[in-house]
Amino acid sequence: MLPTLAELGVGFVPFSPLGKGFLTGQINENTQFDSTDFRNIVPRFTREARKANQIFIDFIKSVAERKKATPAQIALAWLLAQKPWIVPIPGTTKLHRLDENIGAVEVELTSDDLRDIKRAAANITVEGARYPENLEQLTGR
């Protein structure tokens, strides 16, 4: 899809660029979601999946520490570094998170950083489906 968008000069706004909060580094296998939280029914947010996927979050946290940034800023900076027409719009209801997210534009990821993130992402098998099967069938239409 991305090559077609580039050819047509169309921008791309990634949905849920912080992985429904997982890429912020604030969620782990012990996180308890409110009973009304959508993530309770998402296979990728089962305790087992969160535990298995934590290896990538730990890597992002190490990059964030080196860059004096937050994991969320690293995730957003990575998206911003891909193409100028890829524009993530993370959702938040908290002003301090908005400020944090805006700070991603100040994070400079080197070509080595980008290569290392790509390698780390390629070396993990993400556990858990994006959505429950009944909702997954509604995507990509």
Side-chain angles (χ1 to χ4, degrees):
M1 173 174 62
L2 293 178
T4 302
L5 293 176
E7 182 180 321
L8 296 174
V10 175
F12 181 71
V13 179
F15 175 76
S16 193
L18 295 176
K20 296 176 184 59
F22 195 64
L23 292 174
T24 66
Q26 301 297 310
I27 296 172
N28 62 39
E29 68 179 285
N30 298 315
T31 300
Q32 296 288 321
F33 298 112
D34 180 86
S35 64
T36 61
D37 194 307
F38 172 73
R39 291 171 290 192
N40 284 314
I41 66 166
V42 176
R44 195 165 289 170
F45 281 89
T46 65
R47 182 182 179 101
E48 297 79 19
R50 285 180 278 151
K51 183 177 182 178
N53 297 329
Q54 186 66 40
I55 190 168
F56 186 66
I57 300 308
D58 292 342
F59 173 77
I60 294 298
K61 283 181 176 181
S62 72
V63 174
E65 194 172 295
R66 277 196 333 266
K67 296 292 182 175
K68 296 184 180 10
T70 67
Q73 289 171 330
I74 296 301
L76 295 171
W78 179 84
L79 279 168
L80 292 168
Q82 300 307 300
K83 301 285 182 190
W85 43 267
I86 295 179
V87 183
I89 302 177
T92 185
T93 58
K94 297 173 178 68
L95 185 57
H96 71 279
R97 291 289 181 225
L98 177 63
D99 290 336
E100 176 185 353
N101 294 340
I102 291 170
V105 300
E106 302 298 326
V107 175
E108 292 186 38
L109 296 175
T110 66
S111 58
D112 287 344
D113 294 328
L114 295 171
R115 183 199 64 232
D116 292 347
I117 293 169
K118 183 177 182 177
R119 184 180 302 136
N123 287 327
I124 181 175
T125 300
V126 176
E127 295 294 326
R130 288 176 46 211
Y131 295 107
E133 189 175 330
N134 63 322
L135 295 178
E136 186 68 40
Q137 292 173 359
L138 301 174
T139 66
R141 293 177 163 199

